[in-house]
Amino acid sequence: MSQLCVIQQQDEWLVFDGQHLTRSAVRPKLQRAAVVISDFGNAVSNVVSLEGSPAHAVALIEKRLRSDGLIDSESKILIHKTRTMGGGYQTLFTAIALDLWQQTYAWAEGQPDHCLLVPSTSLAWAALKPGQGLVMQSGRSITVLAMLRHDMLYRTSLAFSDDPTDLAMTVGALAEQFAEDVAGGQDTLEPLVMRWCPVLVRKPEDDAPWADDTLREIFAARSGLKINTVPVRRVVDEAGHEYRSGFGWMQSVASPAIAVNPVASRVAYLAERVLPLASAASLVFALVLGALATRWAMSASEADSRADQLHADIAQMQARIDALADQAGVDSDFPATLTFVERAARLQSGADPATSLALVRAASRDEVRILRVRLEPTADVATGFNAGMDSAAMNQMRGGAAAAPASQGYTLRVDGVVDPQRGTPGMQVPTFVDRLRRAGFDPQPLDPQGEGANGRASSGFFSYLIRREHAPLPEAGA
Protein backbone atom coordinates (compact mmCIF):
# COMPACT_ATOMS: atom_id res chain seq x y z
CA MET A 1 0.00 0.00 0.00
CA SER A 2 1.13 3.57 -0.69
CA GLN A 3 2.08 5.78 2.21
CA LEU A 4 -0.09 8.60 3.47
CA CYS A 5 0.66 12.28 3.04
CA VAL A 6 -0.38 14.52 5.96
CA ILE A 7 -0.17 18.32 5.70
CA GLN A 8 -0.77 20.70 8.59
CA GLN A 9 -2.48 23.84 7.26
CA GLN A 10 -2.72 26.38 10.12
CA ASP A 11 -4.82 24.54 12.71
CA GLU A 12 -6.21 21.89 10.35
CA TRP A 13 -4.74 18.51 9.45
CA LEU A 14 -5.20 17.21 5.86
CA VAL A 15 -4.74 13.49 5.29
CA PHE A 16 -4.24 12.51 1.62
CA ASP A 17 -4.74 8.85 0.79
CA GLY A 18 -4.57 8.54 -2.98
CA GLN A 19 -7.60 10.49 -4.29
CA HIS A 20 -9.28 10.64 -0.91
CA LEU A 21 -9.00 13.57 1.48
CA THR A 22 -9.76 13.51 5.20
CA ARG A 23 -9.90 16.70 7.28
CA SER A 24 -9.20 16.72 11.01
CA ALA A 25 -9.06 19.49 13.58
CA VAL A 26 -6.74 17.43 15.79
CA ARG A 27 -3.71 15.30 15.05
CA PRO A 28 -4.99 12.17 13.33
CA LYS A 29 -4.17 8.57 14.24
CA LEU A 30 -2.21 7.17 11.28
CA GLN A 31 -2.69 3.51 10.42
CA ARG A 32 0.32 3.13 8.13
CA ALA A 33 3.54 4.87 7.09
CA ALA A 34 3.15 8.57 6.36
CA VAL A 35 4.99 11.75 5.43
CA VAL A 36 3.86 14.70 7.60
CA ILE A 37 4.54 18.23 6.28
CA SER A 38 3.91 20.72 9.06
CA ASP A 39 3.96 24.52 9.33
CA PHE A 40 3.70 24.11 13.13
CA GLY A 41 0.69 26.41 13.37
CA ASN A 42 2.12 29.33 11.35
CA ALA A 43 5.40 29.29 13.22
CA VAL A 44 7.76 32.21 12.59
CA SER A 45 10.10 31.60 9.63
CA ASN A 46 12.49 34.08 8.06
CA VAL A 47 15.98 34.77 6.71
CA VAL A 48 18.33 36.82 8.92
CA SER A 49 21.88 38.07 8.45
CA LEU A 50 24.20 37.58 11.40
CA GLU A 51 27.84 38.02 12.27
CA GLY A 52 30.20 35.77 14.13
CA SER A 53 30.14 32.01 14.27
CA PRO A 54 27.17 30.03 12.87
CA ALA A 55 27.35 27.95 16.07
CA HIS A 56 25.76 30.88 17.91
CA ALA A 57 22.96 31.33 15.39
CA VAL A 58 20.21 29.81 17.58
CA ALA A 59 20.92 32.11 20.55
CA LEU A 60 21.22 35.20 18.34
CA ILE A 61 17.99 34.43 16.46
CA GLU A 62 16.02 33.84 19.67
CA LYS A 63 17.36 37.09 21.15
CA ARG A 64 16.36 39.06 18.06
CA LEU A 65 12.88 37.53 17.92
CA ARG A 66 12.27 38.39 21.57
CA SER A 67 13.43 41.94 21.08
CA ASP A 68 11.10 42.29 18.07
CA GLY A 69 8.18 40.85 20.08
CA LEU A 70 7.67 37.91 17.70
CA ILE A 71 7.98 35.33 20.48
CA ASP A 72 7.30 35.61 24.19
CA SER A 73 7.84 32.05 25.41
CA GLU A 74 10.35 29.25 25.14
CA SER A 75 10.88 28.29 21.50
CA LYS A 76 12.52 25.60 19.41
CA ILE A 77 14.71 27.16 16.69
CA LEU A 78 15.14 25.00 13.56
CA ILE A 79 18.02 26.01 11.28
CA HIS A 80 17.16 25.01 7.71
CA LYS A 81 20.10 26.55 5.86
CA THR A 82 23.15 28.68 6.62
CA ARG A 83 25.12 30.45 3.89
CA THR A 84 28.32 32.45 4.38
CA MET A 85 28.01 36.09 3.31
CA GLY A 86 31.22 38.17 3.45
CA GLY A 87 32.20 38.54 7.10
CA GLY A 88 28.92 37.02 8.34
CA TYR A 89 26.27 34.58 7.27
CA GLN A 90 22.61 34.21 6.34
CA THR A 91 20.34 31.75 8.09
CA LEU A 92 16.93 30.41 7.10
CA PHE A 93 15.12 29.37 10.28
CA THR A 94 11.77 28.51 11.88
CA ALA A 95 10.92 29.39 15.47
CA ILE A 96 8.31 27.06 17.01
CA ALA A 97 6.67 27.35 20.39
CA LEU A 98 8.36 24.75 22.55
CA ASP A 99 5.17 23.12 23.85
CA LEU A 100 3.79 22.82 20.28
CA TRP A 101 7.08 21.38 19.06
CA GLN A 102 7.20 18.79 21.81
CA GLN A 103 3.60 17.73 21.24
CA THR A 104 4.03 17.38 17.47
CA TYR A 105 7.36 15.59 17.82
CA ALA A 106 5.95 13.12 20.37
CA TRP A 107 2.88 12.52 18.20
CA ALA A 108 5.03 11.68 15.14
CA GLU A 109 7.24 9.31 17.13
CA GLY A 110 4.22 7.66 18.78
CA GLN A 111 2.63 6.44 15.54
CA PRO A 112 2.43 2.66 15.04
CA ASP A 113 4.21 2.93 11.68
CA HIS A 114 6.96 5.15 10.28
CA CYS A 115 6.02 8.83 10.37
CA LEU A 116 8.43 11.26 8.69
CA LEU A 117 8.05 14.78 10.12
CA VAL A 118 9.18 17.50 7.66
CA PRO A 119 8.91 21.27 8.30
CA SER A 120 7.27 23.06 5.37
CA THR A 121 10.11 25.61 5.16
CA SER A 122 12.71 22.81 4.90
CA LEU A 123 10.67 21.23 2.12
CA ALA A 124 10.44 24.51 0.19
CA TRP A 125 14.19 25.02 0.41
CA ALA A 126 14.92 21.41 -0.63
CA ALA A 127 12.88 21.95 -3.81
CA LEU A 128 15.05 24.86 -4.96
CA LYS A 129 18.24 25.26 -6.93
CA PRO A 130 20.18 28.50 -7.56
CA GLY A 131 18.06 30.79 -9.70
CA GLN A 132 14.73 29.23 -8.63
CA GLY A 133 11.87 30.35 -6.42
CA LEU A 134 8.73 28.79 -4.92
CA VAL A 135 5.39 30.27 -3.85
CA MET A 136 3.49 28.13 -1.33
CA GLN A 137 -0.27 28.75 -1.06
CA SER A 138 -1.53 27.16 2.16
CA GLY A 139 -5.03 28.43 3.07
CA ARG A 140 -4.78 32.14 3.92
CA SER A 141 -0.97 31.97 4.15
CA ILE A 142 1.17 32.85 1.11
CA THR A 143 4.92 32.23 1.37
CA VAL A 144 7.60 32.89 -1.22
CA LEU A 145 11.20 31.60 -1.01
CA ALA A 146 13.96 32.07 -3.59
CA MET A 147 17.54 30.87 -3.83
CA LEU A 148 19.89 33.28 -5.56
CA ARG A 149 23.54 32.70 -6.19
CA HIS A 150 24.68 34.83 -3.26
CA ASP A 151 21.47 35.50 -1.38
CA MET A 152 18.29 33.97 0.07
CA LEU A 153 14.94 35.77 -0.19
CA TYR A 154 11.96 34.95 2.05
CA ARG A 155 8.57 36.67 2.32
CA THR A 156 5.29 35.52 3.89
CA SER A 157 1.85 37.12 4.27
CA LEU A 158 -1.38 36.05 5.93
CA ALA A 159 -4.65 37.18 4.34
CA PHE A 160 -7.40 38.65 6.54
CA SER A 161 -9.88 35.98 5.38
CA ASP A 162 -10.48 33.33 2.74
CA ASP A 163 -12.37 35.82 0.61
CA PRO A 164 -10.93 35.95 -2.95
CA THR A 165 -10.57 39.74 -2.70
CA ASP A 166 -8.50 39.56 0.48
CA LEU A 167 -6.35 36.81 -1.01
CA ALA A 168 -5.81 38.80 -4.22
CA MET A 169 -4.73 41.90 -2.28
CA THR A 170 -2.35 39.87 -0.13
CA VAL A 171 -0.77 38.15 -3.12
CA GLY A 172 -0.40 41.43 -5.04
CA ALA A 173 1.33 43.18 -2.15
CA LEU A 174 3.59 40.20 -1.53
CA ALA A 175 4.56 40.07 -5.22
CA GLU A 176 5.56 43.74 -5.23
CA GLN A 177 7.68 43.34 -2.11
CA PHE A 178 9.37 40.27 -3.55
CA ALA A 179 10.07 42.06 -6.83
CA GLU A 180 11.76 44.89 -4.89
CA ASP A 181 13.90 42.34 -3.03
CA VAL A 182 14.98 40.76 -6.30
CA ALA A 183 15.73 44.14 -7.89
CA GLY A 184 17.71 45.31 -4.88
CA GLY A 185 19.95 42.27 -4.79
CA GLN A 186 23.36 41.95 -6.38
CA ASP A 187 22.65 38.58 -7.95
CA THR A 188 23.08 38.06 -11.67
CA LEU A 189 20.80 35.04 -12.01
CA GLU A 190 17.85 36.52 -13.83
CA PRO A 191 15.14 35.90 -14.53
CA LEU A 192 14.12 33.61 -11.70
CA VAL A 193 12.36 30.35 -12.46
CA MET A 194 9.29 30.46 -10.22
CA ARG A 195 6.81 27.72 -9.32
CA TRP A 196 3.44 27.87 -7.57
CA CYS A 197 2.39 25.09 -5.16
CA PRO A 198 -1.23 25.09 -3.87
CA VAL A 199 -1.74 22.92 -0.80
CA LEU A 200 -5.52 22.62 -1.19
CA VAL A 201 -7.87 24.57 -3.48
CA ARG A 202 -11.60 23.83 -3.81
CA LYS A 203 -13.07 23.38 -7.27
CA PRO A 204 -14.97 26.56 -8.31
CA GLU A 205 -18.60 26.59 -9.36
CA ASP A 206 -20.08 27.53 -12.74
CA ASP A 207 -16.85 26.80 -14.65
CA ALA A 208 -15.08 29.70 -13.00
CA PRO A 209 -11.25 29.64 -13.02
CA TRP A 210 -9.45 27.89 -10.20
CA ALA A 211 -8.54 30.22 -7.37
CA ASP A 212 -4.86 29.26 -7.39
CA ASP A 213 -4.62 30.05 -11.11
CA THR A 214 -6.06 33.50 -10.48
CA LEU A 215 -3.66 34.20 -7.63
CA ARG A 216 -0.72 32.90 -9.65
CA GLU A 217 -1.53 35.26 -12.51
CA ILE A 218 -1.76 38.18 -10.10
CA PHE A 219 1.65 37.32 -8.61
CA ALA A 220 3.19 37.04 -12.07
CA ALA A 221 1.72 40.37 -13.19
CA ARG A 222 2.74 42.29 -10.06
CA SER A 223 6.24 40.78 -9.79
CA GLY A 224 7.09 40.66 -13.47
CA LEU A 225 8.18 37.03 -13.19
CA LYS A 226 6.94 34.04 -15.10
CA ILE A 227 5.54 31.39 -12.77
CA ASN A 228 4.25 27.86 -13.38
CA THR A 229 2.18 25.55 -11.20
CA VAL A 230 3.70 22.33 -9.89
CA PRO A 231 1.96 19.05 -10.81
CA VAL A 232 -1.37 18.82 -8.98
CA ARG A 233 -3.86 16.03 -8.27
CA ARG A 234 -7.58 16.08 -7.78
CA VAL A 235 -8.96 14.71 -4.51
CA VAL A 236 -12.40 14.29 -2.97
CA ASP A 237 -13.27 14.73 0.72
CA GLU A 238 -15.87 12.91 2.84
CA ALA A 239 -18.60 15.31 1.77
CA GLY A 240 -17.94 14.72 -1.93
CA HIS A 241 -16.35 18.12 -2.56
CA GLU A 242 -13.62 18.13 -5.18
CA TYR A 243 -10.25 19.83 -4.67
CA ARG A 244 -6.88 19.93 -6.29
CA SER A 245 -3.59 19.87 -4.46
CA GLY A 246 0.17 19.74 -4.98
CA PHE A 247 0.57 17.19 -2.19
CA GLY A 248 2.01 14.59 -4.59
CA TRP A 249 4.81 16.92 -5.64
CA MET A 250 5.45 17.87 -2.00
CA GLN A 251 5.55 14.21 -1.01
CA SER A 252 8.14 13.52 -3.74
CA VAL A 253 10.37 16.34 -2.45
CA ALA A 254 10.20 15.20 1.19
CA SER A 255 13.06 12.94 2.26
CA PRO A 256 14.67 11.66 5.48
CA ALA A 257 17.52 14.14 4.93
CA ILE A 258 15.29 17.14 5.75
CA ALA A 259 13.12 15.44 8.38
CA VAL A 260 13.42 16.33 12.06
CA ASN A 261 12.91 12.78 13.36
CA PRO A 262 15.66 11.02 15.31
CA VAL A 263 18.35 9.39 13.23
CA ALA A 264 17.12 5.89 14.07
CA SER A 265 13.59 6.71 12.86
CA ARG A 266 14.88 8.21 9.61
CA VAL A 267 17.09 5.21 8.92
CA ALA A 268 14.19 2.82 9.60
CA TYR A 269 11.93 4.81 7.27
CA LEU A 270 14.56 4.80 4.53
CA ALA A 271 15.13 1.07 4.97
CA GLU A 272 11.41 0.38 4.55
CA ARG A 273 11.30 2.55 1.43
CA VAL A 274 14.17 0.73 -0.24
CA LEU A 275 12.95 -2.69 0.87
CA PRO A 276 10.93 -3.31 -2.35
CA LEU A 277 13.94 -2.35 -4.44
CA ALA A 278 16.18 -4.57 -2.35
CA SER A 279 13.69 -7.43 -2.70
CA ALA A 280 13.56 -6.96 -6.47
CA ALA A 281 17.33 -6.85 -6.64
CA SER A 282 17.54 -10.00 -4.52
CA LEU A 283 15.07 -11.74 -6.80
CA VAL A 284 17.04 -10.76 -9.90
CA PHE A 285 20.24 -11.90 -8.20
CA ALA A 286 18.63 -15.23 -7.30
CA LEU A 287 17.45 -15.70 -10.89
CA VAL A 288 20.93 -14.95 -12.20
CA LEU A 289 22.46 -17.41 -9.74
CA GLY A 290 19.88 -20.01 -10.77
CA ALA A 291 20.70 -19.51 -14.44
CA LEU A 292 24.42 -19.78 -13.72
CA ALA A 293 23.90 -22.89 -11.61
CA THR A 294 21.89 -24.49 -14.43
CA ARG A 295 24.58 -23.64 -16.93
CA TRP A 296 27.31 -25.01 -14.67
CA ALA A 297 25.29 -28.19 -14.10
CA MET A 298 24.88 -28.66 -17.86
CA SER A 299 28.59 -28.05 -18.41
CA ALA A 300 29.44 -30.57 -15.68
CA SER A 301 27.11 -33.12 -17.26
CA GLU A 302 28.73 -32.61 -20.67
CA ALA A 303 32.19 -32.96 -19.10
CA ASP A 304 31.12 -36.20 -17.41
CA SER A 305 29.79 -37.53 -20.72
CA ARG A 306 33.05 -36.70 -22.48
CA ALA A 307 35.04 -38.32 -19.67
CA ASP A 308 32.93 -41.50 -19.91
CA GLN A 309 33.46 -41.59 -23.68
CA LEU A 310 37.22 -41.20 -23.24
CA HIS A 311 37.26 -44.03 -20.68
CA ALA A 312 35.34 -46.22 -23.13
CA ASP A 313 37.79 -45.41 -25.97
CA ILE A 314 40.76 -46.13 -23.70
CA ALA A 315 39.26 -49.45 -22.65
CA GLN A 316 38.65 -50.39 -26.30
CA MET A 317 42.24 -49.48 -27.27
CA GLN A 318 43.60 -51.46 -24.30
CA ALA A 319 41.58 -54.47 -25.39
CA ARG A 320 43.05 -54.22 -28.89
CA ILE A 321 46.57 -53.92 -27.43
CA ASP A 322 45.98 -57.01 -25.27
CA ALA A 323 44.73 -58.91 -28.33
CA LEU A 324 47.83 -57.95 -30.32
CA ALA A 325 50.14 -58.89 -27.45
CA ASP A 326 49.11 -62.52 -27.82
CA GLN A 327 50.26 -62.44 -31.47
CA ALA A 328 53.56 -60.66 -30.79
CA GLY A 329 55.63 -63.83 -30.15
CA VAL A 330 58.96 -64.40 -32.01
CA ASP A 331 58.84 -66.89 -34.89
CA SER A 332 60.98 -70.04 -34.54
CA ASP A 333 62.93 -69.17 -37.74
CA PHE A 334 63.82 -65.70 -36.44
CA PRO A 335 67.35 -66.62 -35.06
CA ALA A 336 68.40 -68.05 -38.44
CA THR A 337 67.02 -65.00 -40.22
CA LEU A 338 68.84 -62.68 -37.81
CA THR A 339 72.12 -64.58 -38.36
CA PHE A 340 71.72 -64.27 -42.13
CA VAL A 341 71.05 -60.54 -41.92
CA GLU A 342 74.05 -59.95 -39.66
CA ARG A 343 76.33 -61.96 -41.97
CA ALA A 344 75.08 -60.02 -44.98
CA ALA A 345 75.80 -56.77 -43.12
CA ARG A 346 79.35 -57.94 -42.31
CA LEU A 347 79.95 -58.92 -45.90
CA GLN A 348 78.66 -55.60 -47.13
CA SER A 349 80.82 -53.58 -44.75
CA GLY A 350 83.92 -55.83 -45.07
CA ALA A 351 86.63 -55.85 -47.69
CA ASP A 352 85.62 -56.99 -51.16
CA PRO A 353 88.54 -59.08 -52.52
CA ALA A 354 87.82 -58.42 -56.20
CA THR A 355 87.40 -54.69 -55.71
CA SER A 356 90.40 -54.47 -53.39
CA LEU A 357 92.63 -56.35 -55.89
CA ALA A 358 91.58 -54.01 -58.68
CA LEU A 359 92.36 -50.96 -56.53
CA VAL A 360 95.74 -52.39 -55.44
CA ARG A 361 96.60 -53.22 -59.09
CA ALA A 362 95.73 -49.68 -60.14
CA ALA A 363 97.79 -48.17 -57.33
CA SER A 364 100.89 -50.27 -58.30
CA ARG A 365 100.76 -49.29 -61.96
CA ASP A 366 104.18 -48.21 -63.31
CA GLU A 367 105.68 -48.08 -59.81
CA VAL A 368 105.92 -51.44 -57.98
CA ARG A 369 105.32 -55.11 -58.56
CA ILE A 370 102.76 -56.90 -56.35
CA LEU A 371 103.91 -60.30 -55.22
CA ARG A 372 101.01 -61.38 -52.96
CA VAL A 373 97.68 -60.15 -51.55
CA ARG A 374 96.07 -62.07 -48.74
CA LEU A 375 93.40 -61.63 -46.01
CA GLU A 376 94.88 -61.70 -42.52
CA PRO A 377 93.28 -61.41 -39.06
CA THR A 378 93.97 -58.33 -36.97
CA ALA A 379 96.26 -58.50 -33.96
CA ASP A 380 93.44 -59.08 -31.42
CA VAL A 381 92.14 -62.04 -33.44
CA ALA A 382 95.56 -63.45 -34.33
CA THR A 383 96.72 -63.47 -30.69
CA GLY A 384 93.84 -65.80 -29.86
CA PHE A 385 95.41 -68.62 -31.83
CA ASN A 386 98.26 -70.73 -30.44
CA ALA A 387 100.03 -73.87 -31.41
CA GLY A 388 98.36 -75.99 -28.75
CA MET A 389 94.78 -75.35 -29.93
CA ASP A 390 92.74 -78.16 -31.34
CA SER A 391 90.63 -77.74 -34.43
CA ALA A 392 87.37 -77.22 -32.48
CA ALA A 393 88.87 -74.37 -30.47
CA MET A 394 90.25 -72.75 -33.59
CA ASN A 395 86.86 -73.01 -35.31
CA GLN A 396 85.25 -71.44 -32.23
CA MET A 397 87.79 -68.59 -32.40
CA ARG A 398 87.07 -68.10 -36.07
CA GLY A 399 83.38 -68.08 -35.35
CA GLY A 400 83.93 -65.41 -32.67
CA ALA A 401 86.07 -63.39 -35.07
CA ALA A 402 83.42 -63.71 -37.73
CA ALA A 403 80.87 -62.35 -35.28
CA ALA A 404 82.80 -59.04 -35.18
CA PRO A 405 82.51 -56.57 -38.05
CA ALA A 406 84.83 -57.40 -40.91
CA SER A 407 86.52 -54.03 -40.70
CA GLN A 408 87.57 -54.87 -37.14
CA GLY A 409 88.46 -58.62 -37.49
CA TYR A 410 90.40 -58.92 -40.80
CA THR A 411 92.48 -56.78 -43.14
CA LEU A 412 94.38 -57.14 -46.41
CA ARG A 413 98.14 -57.73 -46.52
CA VAL A 414 99.96 -56.63 -49.61
CA ASP A 415 103.54 -57.86 -50.29
CA GLY A 416 105.48 -56.32 -53.12
CA VAL A 417 108.83 -55.29 -54.47
CA VAL A 418 110.13 -52.11 -56.06
CA ASP A 419 110.50 -52.29 -59.85
CA PRO A 420 113.74 -50.44 -60.62
CA GLN A 421 112.79 -50.19 -64.26
CA ARG A 422 109.60 -48.17 -63.59
CA GLY A 423 108.68 -45.04 -61.76
CA THR A 424 110.83 -42.41 -60.14
CA PRO A 425 113.73 -43.98 -58.22
CA GLY A 426 113.14 -43.73 -54.49
CA MET A 427 109.52 -42.58 -54.93
CA GLN A 428 107.88 -45.82 -56.09
CA VAL A 429 106.69 -46.96 -52.65
CA PRO A 430 105.53 -43.46 -51.48
CA THR A 431 103.62 -43.04 -54.73
CA PHE A 432 102.05 -46.48 -54.26
CA VAL A 433 101.05 -45.64 -50.67
CA ASP A 434 99.62 -42.28 -51.73
CA ARG A 435 97.50 -43.98 -54.38
CA LEU A 436 96.21 -46.43 -51.83
CA ARG A 437 95.17 -43.60 -49.52
CA ARG A 438 93.40 -41.89 -52.41
CA ALA A 439 91.60 -45.18 -53.09
CA GLY A 440 90.21 -45.09 -49.55
CA PHE A 441 92.67 -47.39 -47.78
CA ASP A 442 94.71 -46.86 -44.64
CA PRO A 443 98.09 -48.56 -45.33
CA GLN A 444 100.16 -49.60 -42.33
CA PRO A 445 103.80 -50.69 -43.09
CA LEU A 446 105.04 -54.15 -42.01
CA ASP A 447 108.39 -55.83 -41.97
CA PRO A 448 108.56 -58.01 -45.09
CA GLN A 449 110.50 -60.59 -43.08
CA GLY A 450 107.88 -60.67 -40.28
CA GLU A 451 110.31 -59.34 -37.63
CA GLY A 452 108.10 -56.42 -36.54
CA ALA A 453 110.42 -53.68 -37.86
CA ASN A 454 108.85 -50.53 -39.31
CA GLY A 455 110.30 -49.98 -42.71
CA ARG A 456 111.04 -51.95 -45.83
CA ALA A 457 114.03 -54.27 -46.58
CA SER A 458 117.02 -52.93 -48.34
CA SER A 459 116.36 -55.45 -51.06
CA GLY A 460 113.26 -53.40 -52.15
CA PHE A 461 110.63 -55.70 -50.67
CA PHE A 462 107.81 -54.14 -48.68
CA SER A 463 104.60 -55.19 -46.96
CA TYR A 464 101.51 -53.19 -45.94
CA LEU A 465 98.31 -53.92 -44.09
CA ILE A 466 95.54 -51.97 -45.70
CA ARG A 467 92.00 -51.26 -44.47
CA ARG A 468 89.28 -49.24 -46.13
CA GLU A 469 88.51 -46.10 -44.13
CA HIS A 470 86.47 -43.98 -46.57
CA ALA A 471 85.27 -43.72 -50.11
CA PRO A 472 87.92 -43.16 -52.85
CA LEU A 473 89.02 -39.54 -53.33
CA PRO A 474 88.69 -37.98 -56.80
CA GLU A 475 91.80 -37.77 -58.95
CA ALA A 476 93.72 -34.52 -58.89
CA GLY A 477 93.10 -33.93 -62.55
CA ALA A 478 89.35 -34.71 -62.35
Side-chain angles (χ1 to χ4, degrees):
M1 297 178 65
S2 62
Q3 63 181 359
L4 302 174
C5 181
V6 181
I7 300 177
Q8 183 183 9
Q9 182 176 266
Q10 285 85 49
D11 296 327
E12 187 178 27
W13 295 83
L14 308 176
V15 182
F16 295 91
D17 185 3
Q19 295 182 346
H20 302 283
L21 170 64
T22 303
R23 294 172 175 268
S24 176
V26 296
R27 299 182 185 90
K29 182 70 173 181
L30 306 177
Q31 300 301 322
R32 61 178 189 269
V35 173
V36 178
I37 303 170
S38 175
D39 61 3
F40 296 97
N42 283 330
V44 178
S45 295
N46 206 347
V47 174
V48 296
S49 297
L50 301 171
E51 293 183 351
S53 173
H56 306 144
V58 172
L60 294 176
I61 291 172
E62 186 174 4
K63 180 180 179 180
R64 179 175 295 189
L65 292 178
R66 289 186 184 278
S67 64
D68 294 342
L70 296 178
I71 60 174
D72 56 2
S73 60
E74 296 296 328
S75 300
K76 171 69 176 180
I77 308 297
L78 299 179
I79 303 298
H80 306 298
K81 181 65 179 179
T82 298
R83 301 180 72 179
T84 302
M85 296 285 295
Y89 56 93
Q90 274 189 324
T91 298
L92 175 63
F93 71 92
T94 298
I96 310 168
L98 186 59
D99 56 346
L100 178 61
W101 161 259
Q102 292 175 343
Q103 293 170 10
T104 306
Y105 188 89
W107 166 80
E109 288 300 302
Q111 298 302 311
D113 207 336
H114 302 294
C115 181
L116 202 63
L117 182 59
V118 179
S120 58
T121 306
S122 293
L123 183 137
W125 179 258
L128 298 180
K129 295 180 180 179
Q132 295 182 353
L134 177 67
V135 180
M136 187 82 71
Q137 177 190 353
S138 178
R140 296 186 295 118
S141 176
I142 309 296
T143 301
V144 56
L145 177 64
M147 180 193 300
L148 307 183
R149 179 176 297 176
H150 304 295
D151 200 0
M152 293 186 293
L153 300 180
Y154 182 88
R155 288 280 182 175
T156 184
S157 294
L158 185 64
F160 182 73
S161 66
D162 293 331
D163 184 76
T165 303
D166 290 340
L167 289 173
M169 291 177 59
T170 302
V171 169
L174 182 63
E176 292 177 354
Q177 295 172 0
F178 181 73
E180 292 177 1
D181 293 339
V182 173
Q186 301 298 323
D187 206 276
T188 58
L189 287 177
E190 291 184 318
L192 287 173
V193 178
M194 301 295 296
R195 286 178 291 182
W196 186 281
C197 178
V199 174
L200 188 68
V201 179
R202 186 170 179 175
K203 182 179 179 180
E205 300 178 355
D206 301 331
D207 296 331
W210 287 83
D212 59 303
D213 288 339
T214 302
L215 298 177
R216 175 174 55 84
E217 293 173 359
I218 294 173
F219 187 93
R222 301 288 288 271
S223 66
L225 299 173
K226 183 180 179 181
I227 183 168
N228 297 315
T229 303
V230 302
V232 295
R233 298 182 186 178
R234 297 200 177 189
V235 294
V236 179
D237 63 4
E238 303 94 327
H241 299 142
E242 185 176 348
Y243 302 82
R244 73 178 185 181
S245 169
F247 80 92
W249 176 82
M250 299 171 68
Q251 187 175 11
S252 66
V253 175
S255 68
I258 60 175
V260 294
N261 301 79
V263 176
S265 298
R266 285 183 284 170
V267 171
Y269 174 86
L270 183 62
E272 183 172 336
R273 293 288 294 172
V274 301
L275 182 60
L277 297 178
S279 300
S282 301
L283 179 59
V284 173
F285 186 66
L287 292 176
V288 171
L289 287 181
L292 290 176
T294 303
R295 181 177 179 181
W296 292 335
M298 294 177 62
S299 300
S301 178
E302 293 177 358
D304 291 340
S305 300
R306 290 195 296 269
D308 294 341
Q309 183 64 36
L310 287 176
H311 288 312
D313 294 342
I314 293 173
Q316 184 178 3
M317 295 174 64
Q318 187 63 39
R320 294 175 61 185
I321 292 173
D322 295 341
L324 292 174
D326 298 337
Q327 305 175 7
V330 179
D331 188 51
S332 58
D333 297 334
F334 179 74
T337 303
L338 180 61
T339 302
F340 171 77
V341 172
E342 291 177 349
R343 184 174 182 80
R346 288 196 301 271
L347 290 176
Q348 184 179 5
S349 61
D352 184 4
T355 303
S356 299
L357 286 176
L359 293 175
V360 170
R361 185 182 300 112
S364 65
R365 184 179 66 251
D366 299 330
E367 296 293 343
V368 297
R369 182 180 300 169
I370 303 301
L371 301 178
R372 182 175 58 184
V373 177
R374 63 180 180 179
L375 188 65
E376 286 191 352
T378 57
D380 56 346
V381 177
T383 55
F385 294 94
N386 56 69
M389 281 187 177
D390 56 7
S391 60
M394 295 178 66
N395 291 335
Q396 184 176 1
M397 287 296 297
R398 290 190 180 93
S407 60
Q408 298 178 2
Y410 290 89
T411 185
L412 288 175
R413 174 171 177 155
V414 178
D415 296 325
V417 65
V418 175
D419 190 351
Q421 303 298 325
R422 294 184 295 180
T424 303
M427 294 299 295
Q428 293 92 335
V429 175
T431 302
F432 172 68
V433 172
D434 182 64
R435 289 176 178 175
L436 288 177
R437 289 195 175 99
R438 289 181 173 276
F441 293 106
D442 179 24
Q444 299 294 331
L446 294 176
D447 182 7
Q449 304 301 325
E451 295 179 357
N454 290 329
R456 57 182 179 269
S458 58
S459 59
F461 288 93
F462 60 88
S463 297
Y464 280 91
L465 288 176
I466 58 175
R467 287 182 296 181
R468 181 175 292 280
E469 295 292 336
H470 55 77
L473 297 175
E475 295 294 337

